[in-house]
Amino acid sequence: MPQHIPSDSVGIVTPQVAKFDTPLELRSGKVLSSYEIVYETYGELNANKSNAVLICHALSGHHHAAGFHEGDKKPGWWDSCIGPGKAIDTNRFFVLCLNNLGGCHGSTGPTSINPQTNKPYGSDFPMVRVRDWVESQARLADYLGIEKFAAVIGGSLGGMQALRWSFQYPDRLSYCGVIASAPKLSAQNIAFNEVARNAIMKDPEFHDGHYMEKNAIPKTGLMTARMLAHLTYLSDDAMGEKFGRDLKTDEIKYGYKPEFQVESYLHYQGEKFSTTFDANTYLLMTKALDYFDPAQYSDNDLAKCLAPANSKFFVVSFTTDWRFSPERSEEIVDALVEADKDVTYACIESEKGHDAFLIPIPRYVKIFTAYMNRVAKELNL
Amino acid sequence: MSQQNTQIKNQAESQTELRSDLNIIQNWVADKSQVLDLGCGQGDLLAHLKTQKQCKGYGLEIHEDSIVSCVEKGLNVIEHNLNDGLAHFKDNAMDTVIMTQALQAVSRPDVLLDDMLRVGKEAIITFPNFGYWRTRFYLLTKGKMPMSKTLPFNWYDTPNIHMCTFRDFEKLCREKNLTILNRTVVDKNHQKSLSTSLFPNLLGEIAVYRVTK
C-alpha cells in the first residue's frame, strides 16, 4: 500500500464477483452454461440508478481501473481519469468496470475450471466476440439493477465495446465514449496480432493451449508477443525520447544479449507481462479484436450500422497513435455525422502513441472533463 | 485556420451577445435545418441556431480552448483543419455551410468554396473587405500593408493570406457560376448602415454573402 493515498483517489477498492447461471449463447454458436464476472465499482449509485458509467477495458486490461488494492503500490489502469474531481468524477458518477469473459483476472476464462471436464478450459474456452462481451456486460448491469448507463466508455478494444453498445443496446446508454479506437482493424493490425499469436502457439510449452494441465507456461512466446505489441503502442518519437540509442553499459559488447536500453526495456515489459497474463486469454483477446467489424453486417456501411444508436458520442484520438490512428477515429466520426448523431471529436497532440489514452495529458484531461461535466449537466446528476 | 485568428474571433464573440453579422446569418438559416459551421469558434452562432431555430449543427474548429467552450455549451464540435477540405462530409449532407471570417485564412478559398457548396445546399460566408476605404487609404498614404482592428497582423505573420475585396469575391462567384442569394455589408462594429449599402466595396468593412450553386 502506498504510504499516502492521494486525495483524488477512490482509495482502497475490493473486487466483487457476480455469478450467472443463465446460459450465454455466444456469436460462435457455443454456449457458456454458467460463468462468473469479477468487477469493481467506484462512487455511489444514486437512488434512481441514473449515474452509472461503464468502463470497458482493452486487450490486457481488467476490472481494476481505479484506486488501490490492499497492499498494492500502483493504482488501477485508468486511475488518471477516474476518481473524485477527475474526468470521470466519482463524486457524481457510479463507475463500474469488469474483467471481460475470457480474461485472466477473475472472470470466467481459459484458466477457469471447465465444469464438464473438471480441468482448466485452456484452449477449449470458447472464442468470445465484442458483442458477447456487451451481452455479458448488459447482464451484469441487470444484476446491479442498472437499466441505463449515463455513459459507456472505453479505449482501444474497450472503445470497440462502447461503440458496439451504442447500437446493440441503444436505449441502455445516454453517452458513448470511444477513445483511441477504430471501427475495425486494418490488415496491418491483424498481421501484428498474428505474429503475436504465432509466437505463443509455436512456444514448445504451449501444448495446444493445455499448458496448465502440464504445469507449463508458454512464457517465451507470451513475452515475444507482448514485446511486439508493446512497441506498437509507442511512437517512434516516444521511444527515441525515452531511450535513444543509449546502451546499458559504456560500450558495445559484440554479443546478442540486450545491449541497448530499449531492448532491455522491452525484455522487462515482456517478462513482467508473461508472469501475470494468460497466453490463451491473449489469443482470445487478439481474435476478438481481429473479428470486430460490425459494419460488415450493414453492407459495410458504418453509418447504417450506427443508425439505431440513441446516444451522444465523444470520440478522441491521439496524433502519434499509429496502431489506431486518428484517421480510424475519424471514420467513426464521419459515419456518426452521416447517421445524424450528436458527436464531439478531439485529436490530441501527444508523442506517446497508442498508450496516450491512459496518460493524463493536460489537453486530453481538460476536454474529457468538460465532456463528462456536460454529461452530468444534461442528465441532471 | 490559425489559432491567432480564432483568438481574435473569440474575443470579438465574447464581447457581444451575438455579433450582428451572426445575427444577419441566423436570419438566413431556415428552422430545423442541418448546419455545418466552419471555424465555429466558441460556438455562439451554433448555440443560437440550436436553441432559437432548432437546427442540428456541427462545428469544425482547430483551437483547443474553443473546442472545450463548444463542449461546455453542449454542441457538436469536430476538431478539423479547414485546409484539409471537407472530404469527410458527403455531398448535400447539410442544408447550410457557414464560414465566418475564415475564407481569407485558408490555403485555397476557391477550393473550399466549391467544397462548401458540394456539402451544403447553400453557403454563408463572411470576410473582411480589403477594398474598404480605410484599407485603401492606409496603403495609399503609408505605402505599407494595412493594419487595423479588423486586420491586426503584420504582413509576415498574418493568418489572413488571401485577402480580397467584395468585387474579387463576386468575380469568383461569377466564374464558378454561383448565385448570390443575399449580400450585405457591415462596418467594423458589425452594424449595417445606408452608406455601407450604397457603396459596399468602399465603405463596407465586413462582407456577408449567401450563395448557392
Side-chain angles (χ1 to χ4, degrees), chain B residues 40-75:
Chain B
C40 63
Q42 297 186 341
D44 291 344
L45 177 64
L46 271 181
H48 190 82
L49 292 173
K50 185 180 169 188
T51 53
Q52 303 300 313
K53 304 209 122 189
Q54 292 78 51
C55 290
K56 173 109 183 175
Y58 298 90
L60 303 187
E61 183 49 67
I62 196 168
H63 188 254
E64 300 174 12
D65 292 336
S66 296
I67 293 171
V68 171
S69 295
C70 291
V71 170
E72 285 165 351
K73 289 188 177 88
L75 300 168

Side-chain angles (χ1 to χ4, degrees), chain A residues 230-244 262 320-322 350-354:
Chain A
H230 195 86
L231 72 92
T232 70
Y233 303 149
L234 304 173
S235 71
D236 194 13
D237 286 350
M239 291 179 89
E241 192 185 314
K242 194 164 182 176
F243 309 107
V262 65
T320 54
D321 182 353
W322 58 279
S350 156
E351 78 285 6
K352 301 289 186 191
H354 186 55

